[in-house]
Amino acid sequence: MLTDIMLFLERLPGIFKGAGELGIIYAVLALGVFISFRTLNTPDLTVDGSFVLGTAASAVLAATGHPYLSLIAAFLMGSMAGCVTSLLNTKLGIQPLLSGILVMLGLYSVNLRVMGGRPNIPISRDSTIFSIPLLEPLGDYKELALSLIILVIILALLSLFLNTRFGYVLRATGDNEGMVRAAGVNTDVTKLCGLAISNGLVALSGAMIAQYQGFSDIGMGTGMVVIGLSSVIIGEVVFGSKPLIRRLTAVALGSVLYRLIISIAFEIGMPPTDLKLVSAVIVAIALSASKIGGGLAKIKKKFTTGEDGGALNA
Amino acid sequence: MLELCGVSKTFMKGTANELDALKDVSFTLSQGEFAAIIGGNGSGKSTLLNCISGVYIPDGGSIKLDGEDITYKPEYKRAHAIGRVFQDPLKGTAFDMTIEENLAIAWYKGRPRNLRWGITRKDRELFREKLSRFELGLEDRMKDKAGLLSGGQRQALTLLMAIIVRPKLLLLDEHTAALDPATSRKVLELTKVFVKEEGIPTLMVTHNMKDAIEMSTRILMMNKGKLVLNVSGDDLKGITVDKLVDLFEEKSGEVLDNDRILLG
Ligand SMILES: Nc1ncnc2c1ncn2[C@@H]1O[C@H](COP(=O)(O)OP(=O)(O)OP(=O)(O)O)[C@@H](O)[C@H]1O
Ligand SMILES: [Mg+2]
């Protein structure tokens, strides 16, 4: 027993490093999901497809010797996927959730095409964003450092963007669409831009993951929405949500925390195959937290004062 | 100046539930006028305002604002000229954004929504000054989220948002109806001072006949989608609630029925 604990403690730094790396890269995805889920107030299922689109674009382009360019290409391709979802919704009147599902489904074929018909392509270690000579002195920490730099740049750009005149109306669209139209803004445009940026970030995250892990696989996207949502919710609950810059940072930290929880769960014996179930349960609990919380408060009140908890609603 | 000519609107056309919400409504609202709209439940008051603001596109007739035909203009394209306050206090603001951010969204109406700062120091000073004139203490809470405000504070904020860029037309749809009597007074008082005295052309749906008579230069009464009464100028002098009710019953041949109408 004691030796078990000793062994676990010894592995802890490695667990933290691995979770940190993954958490930081997935934080980009979480920020993308934040934009659709929080600022536009629609859970967007395109994510599962646009994530793989990012991994595919990155794998193909990195092989031609342009790993950095591949990040930009991935962002743009993800944005296009987001645009299609938004247009299906705003121009053809298909429900937001269904629009996302349709694009996700279509992207499966698109992604296979991008990958030249193969379900899995490897990426050479010598041709990734992490393999440039500039990063050599960092040794084992180069993945962590580079991912962190990219994340900080994105956080900065995003918080600047959301505080512009356009950013304001984008954020208000999810809150109160009617009010945004009453302020003279075409909400079709704000939704389009929102989903474009959201899926662009998701694809960018996919591109970085592919280069970090050394391959792109057609099945990598399953459940990415849920992972993004977990990070958003965990982040906001643990690290706070006011003001906006803190909220964005919290979402990024939420992603790292989520990875850490998952890694430790693996360490203490959770089978990797249970990962998706655990993620789904976490999100279900988090989304119902306010309801469960309210219910608990009611019960508590009933027991402590002997009165009906209904007064809480007053 | 607002000119409506034969405006009609039918909901669920071609179904068994077909409903004529507006039938051939015509009237003119001149510069600086303040008009009250009174009518029974479901008589089409909100539908009329929604057609003018572009939420619904009418099936027939035309709507002109300052000479421009806006009948078929999309809502967001005419919004810069029209201010609106709704009955539901939740409808006018973005609850997850701060008071000053809400005001900034309204303030940049009609100007490009580009990548400049959403709010500048100068804007903030202006908002603070305007809010302080409302005397609700909101000027010290500009960084609070709009969702934290009470219904009355929110209606006041929405009113300021509607007029901060002087609109060509202001539409108030029972904007005090969801508030308690004291708060309702306060918001109506603000409406008098900042809208009526400023001479912003206004259409106000109300169920308070006394307020209507006291504030308006024109009274419009609706029944089942029709405009049955349009009183202004000399005809309005010495009018009382009883006289209005009589006139309404004479013209429409029906009893004025609205469970919320205050006759007193
Ligand atoms: N979007 C809609 N679809 C179908 N019917 C509608 C719609 N909006 C309004 N109606 C119907 O049109 C009629 C007029 O409604 P409207 O909301 O204009 O009445 P109102 O005069 O504002 O009434 P109230 O005093 O209750 O607010 C009602 O019978 C209503 O049920
Ligand atoms: Mg109404």
Side-chain angles (χ1 to χ4, degrees), chain B residues 11-12 19 21 40-47 56 174 258 260:
Chain B
F11 287 116
M12 294 173 287
L19 190 139
N41 297 124
S43 57
K45 307 177 297 290
S46 298
T47 306
Y56 301 141
E174 302 194 48
N258 185 327
R260 287 175 302 156

Side-chain angles (χ1 to χ4, degrees), chain B residues 63-229:
Chain B
I63 303 172
K64 281 188 188 165
L65 186 58
D66 282 2
E68 185 198 359
D69 189 332
I70 57 167
T71 321
Y72 300 106
K73 219 174 178 186
E75 183 187 0
Y76 73 91
K77 279 192 182 161
R78 57 177 102 170
H80 67 93
I82 301 176
R84 263 188 283 171
V85 186
F86 315 88
Q87 176 175 352
D88 180 356
L90 299 175
K91 271 193 172 171
T93 49
F95 63 90
D96 206 21
M97 297 180 75
T98 62
I99 293 177
E100 60 176 24
E101 286 168 342
N102 271 287
L103 282 166
I105 289 175
W107 173 236
Y108 285 103
K109 234 183 191 187
R111 285 187 273 173
R113 305 282 178 174
N114 51 25
L115 297 184
R116 292 178 182 221
W117 285 120
I119 186 169
T120 65
R121 182 138 31 95
K122 234 174 83 194
D123 298 339
R124 255 188 208 109
E125 274 161 26
L126 178 96
F127 299 162
R128 172 177 290 277
E129 193 256 326
K130 297 242 179 212
L131 280 171
S132 66
R133 284 204 273 152
F134 273 19
E135 293 172 351
L136 290 168
L138 291 180
E139 65 276 15
D140 299 319
R141 301 181 58 186
M142 289 193 353
K143 295 217 186 298
D144 278 359
K145 291 199 170 163
L148 298 174
L149 299 180
S150 70
Q153 290 169 330
R154 249 195 248 189
Q155 287 306 69
L157 176 60
T158 310
L159 183 66
L160 178 54
M161 286 168 63
I163 57 174
I164 193 162
V165 177
R166 193 190 164 96
K168 288 180 183 167
L169 176 70
L170 181 66
L171 304 174
L172 306 172
D173 192 352
E174 302 194 48
H175 68 307
T176 64
L179 309 174
D180 64 74
T183 319
S184 163
R185 277 277 121 222
K186 175 87 198 167
V187 172
L188 206 65
E189 210 46 55
L190 292 174
T191 311
K192 271 186 203 160
V193 175
F194 292 97
V195 177
K196 194 169 176 281
E197 289 174 11
E198 287 281 313
I200 299 174
T202 303
L203 276 178
M204 177 175 81
V205 176
T206 179
H207 53 247
N208 189 322
M209 308 253 283
K210 238 173 119 187
D211 289 341
I213 292 170
E214 201 181 300
M215 291 173 73
S216 316
T217 62
R218 181 181 297 276
I219 291 182
L220 306 166
M221 292 188 83
M222 295 189 64
N223 185 43
K224 295 189 177 153
K226 280 204 197 108
L227 183 63
V228 290
L229 203 64

